[in-house]
Structures are given as C-alpha cells and as structure tokens.
Amino acid sequence: MSTPWSTRIVVRSYELDALGHLNQAVYHQYGEIARVEGFAAAGRAWDELLSSGASPVLLGSTISYRRELRAGDAVDVTCELKFGTGKTFLCDSRMTKPDGTVSAELSCVIGIMDLTARKLLPDPRAVLEAVGLDLAVLGA
C-alpha cells in the first residue's frame, strides 16, 4: 500500500482549548486544510473546482481522538479518497505526529454539488477526473 498524501501542520497556541490541548473543532479544520491542499497537489486548486460549476460539499464527518496535540506539536495530516457507488465518497484523514503517534482519525462523507442546480451529481469520481484531478495522488 502506498503512503497517503499528507501535509504537515504545526499546532498554534491560539488553537488550544482551556485544557491546553488542540480544540476539538480545529481537528476538523486540519482535515479541511489537508483536503484543499491535497486537491491542489492532485492538479486542481479549490477555486478552479468552483469555476467548473461544481464543488465538493461536506455532508458529514466522524472523528476519533487518540492522543492530544499541544502547542508547537507537528502533525502530518493525510488526505485519502475512497469511492464506491452513488453520489458520495469518503475522504479519510489521519493525524500523526512525526514519532508515529496517531492523534486523530477523521472520516468525511463528501458529494460533488452542481452549483447551479444545487444538487449532488451522480458520479463524483467522474466529475473530479473530468476537471483534471489526478485521483491517484489521493489514493483513489
């Protein structure tokens, strides 16, 4: 199995909660950073996707927290797409410290929305490939 695409993020002090570890909502933001940067690495910047008339839309997310992150910690956040049948696909992210400690696992359900009709398109993989996304970069 190949290594999933990832980006490194360093935890900033303003992202901490009252207990001194990364605020739960920021884990989701890190997943979003990995998605946006991952799509760019695969050949399409986010604004290019929007100009095509279709855009990824987050429909749901589930996170499992494993180990806390604190200010100054570096974390590698993966972005891996998994397609099946239907109008949605999964975008999974694993947040891992450089020493291999998994801090969190995030799984998002995503669809591709037609921005004019405001409806999900039936084949998200085909849509992403048609706009030039190299899905192999993101593990698909």
Side-chain angles (χ1 to χ4, degrees):
M1 182 174 173
S2 64
T3 304
W5 184 89
S6 72
T7 188
R8 180 162 285 180
I9 300 172
V10 177
V11 177
R12 298 160 206 77
S13 61
Y14 64 82
E15 296 173 325
L16 305 180
D17 63 15
L19 299 176
H21 57 244
L22 191 65
N23 180 281
Q24 52 85 23
V26 180
Y27 286 91
H28 292 278
Q29 292 171 345
Y30 285 5
E32 181 71 11
I33 289 167
R35 280 191 297 281
V36 171
E37 291 183 7
F39 275 54
R44 281 291 170 248
W46 213 254
D47 59 342
E48 292 175 316
L49 290 169
L50 291 173
S51 69
S52 77
S55 179
V57 59
L58 180 67
L59 301 170
S61 63
T62 304
I63 192 163
S64 295
Y65 303 100
R66 304 289 183 214
R67 295 285 184 271
E68 68 181 353
L69 289 170
R70 297 170 107 19
D73 285 347
V75 65
D76 295 315
V77 185
T78 63
C79 178
E80 189 171 16
L81 304 184
K82 297 176 182 172
F83 292 91
T85 59
K87 296 181 180 183
T88 64
F89 61 98
L90 295 178
C91 180
D92 292 339
S93 294
R94 180 177 286 214
M95 299 169 203
T96 308
K97 292 181 184 182
D99 69 2
T101 303
V102 176
S103 294
E105 294 168 311
L106 174 66
S107 185
C108 296
V109 177
I110 298 177
I112 304 295
M113 180 182 279
D114 176 316
L115 297 175
T116 302
R118 308 305 285 180
K119 295 194 181 273
L120 293 182
L121 295 170
D123 188 351
R125 181 183 196 114
V127 172
L128 294 174
E129 289 174 333
V131 297
L133 211 67
D134 181 359
L135 296 177
V137 171
L138 302 174

